[in-house]
Amino acid sequence: IDPKVHVVATEDPKDGRYVLQVKIDRGPYFALEKIDMRGNQAFSRSKIQRKMKVQRMSFFPGSAGRFVESQLKNDIQKLTEYYWRKGYPEASIEYSLEKDTENRTVRVFLNIQEGRQYETEFVGNEAFGDRRLREDLVFYKQGMKKDRRFRRSLRKIRERYRADGYLEAQVKVEEQTSVEQEGPVRILRFVIDEGPRTIVDAIEITGNHTFDDEKIGKQMFTGLPGLTDKGVYVPETLDDDLNNIEALYLKQGYMNA
């Protein structure tokens, strides 16, 4: 409650240097009395409390039962992320404290804004399963702020397809809102038109005299279909391959290759 720090400087007569002694008196501490909350409908009070380390620490006597506000903040962050993962990416949690200095206790008040529940489904996806595509929905990991994370999620799905050779893949979203007993539900339907997959048919290397085809081929990630290579064509990957080949020639002094 009232920590004190004492610093004493003592001169060493032998060399004139000073030795600093720091004494810390931590003083008494606050113990958690109770956690009150409001706004939680998706999860029960007991379920939320079980996920809070600061609550479990209060059951231990002695120093282990001390209330640590930094632990509370960490609990709230993890609890918010739990809400996001469970389909509430709009969720946010704020807290306030009520301290009793006479009894050295503190009460915590949580104000939970759950926001809308989200339901997502994918249509037209054959190259990737629903579970894999859900990993690209960043709003389930980082929350939803003014739909910016929603746009990022669309971009990541498109990038996943492009990196696998689907250069013409299109993704659009159909949205509707359903009012359930627990509250409004935002339903997002991701409609995917994968388009054709572009496969490398042949790789021809010409004009190379210093390095053979095998040496140049080792600088490339673009390859033919095989046991260890899908053989997909991605323009950005080919650009990197060309840069790698130019770097190989530069190392040998070919400045204009």
Side-chain angles (χ1 to χ4, degrees):
I1 296 175
D2 187 22
K4 293 181 174 58
V5 179
H6 303 277
V7 181
V8 178
T10 305
E11 183 179 4
D12 190 335
K14 295 181 180 179
D15 54 16
R17 296 182 179 181
Y18 282 84
V19 177
L20 295 180
Q21 292 182 328
V22 181
K23 297 181 179 180
I24 300 176
D25 180 7
R26 293 180 295 181
Y29 60 84
F30 282 105
L32 178 63
E33 178 186 355
K34 187 179 181 182
I35 297 179
D36 287 321
M37 63 189 71
R38 64 180 180 181
N40 58 304
Q41 299 199 7
F43 307 109
S44 67
R45 172 192 178 96
S46 60
K47 187 177 185 67
I48 291 174
Q49 286 183 327
R50 287 197 301 270
K51 292 187 172 295
M52 301 184 69
K53 187 175 180 180
V54 71
Q55 172 74 30
R56 298 195 300 270
M57 290 170 59
S58 67
F59 295 140
F60 297 96
S63 60
R66 126 178 346 109
F67 169 74
V68 181
E69 189 170 358
S70 60
Q71 180 61 56
L72 173 63
K73 292 180 179 179
N74 188 53
D75 286 345
I76 288 176
Q77 178 61 34
K78 291 184 177 180
L79 183 58
T80 304
E81 293 172 358
Y82 177 77
Y83 263 99
W84 295 344
R85 292 195 306 272
K86 293 300 182 180
Y88 294 86
E90 298 176 3
S92 63
I93 303 175
E94 296 180 348
Y95 77 94
S96 60
L97 304 177
E98 183 180 283
K99 295 182 178 180
D100 184 341
T101 54
E102 182 178 351
N103 295 312
R104 300 204 297 269
T105 59
V106 60
R107 295 183 67 179
V108 175
F109 297 88
L110 300 181
N111 183 22
I112 302 174
Q113 301 288 337
E114 293 183 337
R116 293 173 292 180
Q117 183 182 7
Y118 280 47
E119 292 183 358
T120 54
E121 59 178 294
F122 301 92
V123 178
N125 54 309
E126 296 183 2
F128 303 103
D130 292 2
R131 185 173 181 179
R132 179 66 62 85
L133 293 178
R134 184 183 167 90
E135 294 175 1
D136 295 327
L137 303 181
V138 295
F139 51 80
Y140 282 139
K141 303 174 184 177
Q142 302 174 9
M144 180 73 81
K145 293 184 178 180
K146 297 182 179 179
D147 280 358
R148 285 181 296 176
R149 305 257 165 78
F150 174 70
R151 293 191 294 272
R152 280 187 59 197
S153 298
L154 284 175
R155 186 167 65 250
K156 284 181 69 67
I157 292 175
R158 295 190 187 103
E159 289 172 352
R160 178 184 291 278
Y161 272 96
R162 187 172 181 83
D164 210 47
Y166 295 90
L167 306 183
E168 301 176 14
Q170 299 293 323
V171 184
K172 65 178 182 179
V173 179
E174 298 174 352
E175 178 179 349
Q176 67 182 62
T177 299
S178 173
V179 180
E180 305 294 337
Q181 184 175 0
E182 297 79 9
V185 178
R186 186 182 187 184
I187 303 173
L188 300 177
R189 192 168 185 255
F190 292 83
V191 181
I192 301 172
D193 180 6
E194 296 181 333
R197 193 183 197 190
T198 309
I199 302 296
V200 177
D201 180 63
I203 298 176
E204 295 183 5
I205 303 173
T206 61
N208 54 311
H209 303 291
T210 304
F211 304 110
D212 58 22
D213 291 2
E214 182 179 359
K215 179 70 173 181
I216 292 178
K218 289 182 178 179
Q219 315 305 311
M220 302 177 62
F221 288 100
T222 301
L224 297 174
L227 294 177
T228 60
D229 199 317
K230 296 179 180 180
V232 298
Y233 168 67
V234 181
E236 293 79 8
T237 302
L238 183 59
D239 288 341
D240 291 338
D241 293 340
L242 296 179
N243 290 332
N244 292 338
I245 294 171
E246 289 179 0
L248 176 66
Y249 273 94
L250 283 174
K251 289 180 180 179
Q252 294 298 318
Y254 293 89
M255 308 304 295
N256 297 320

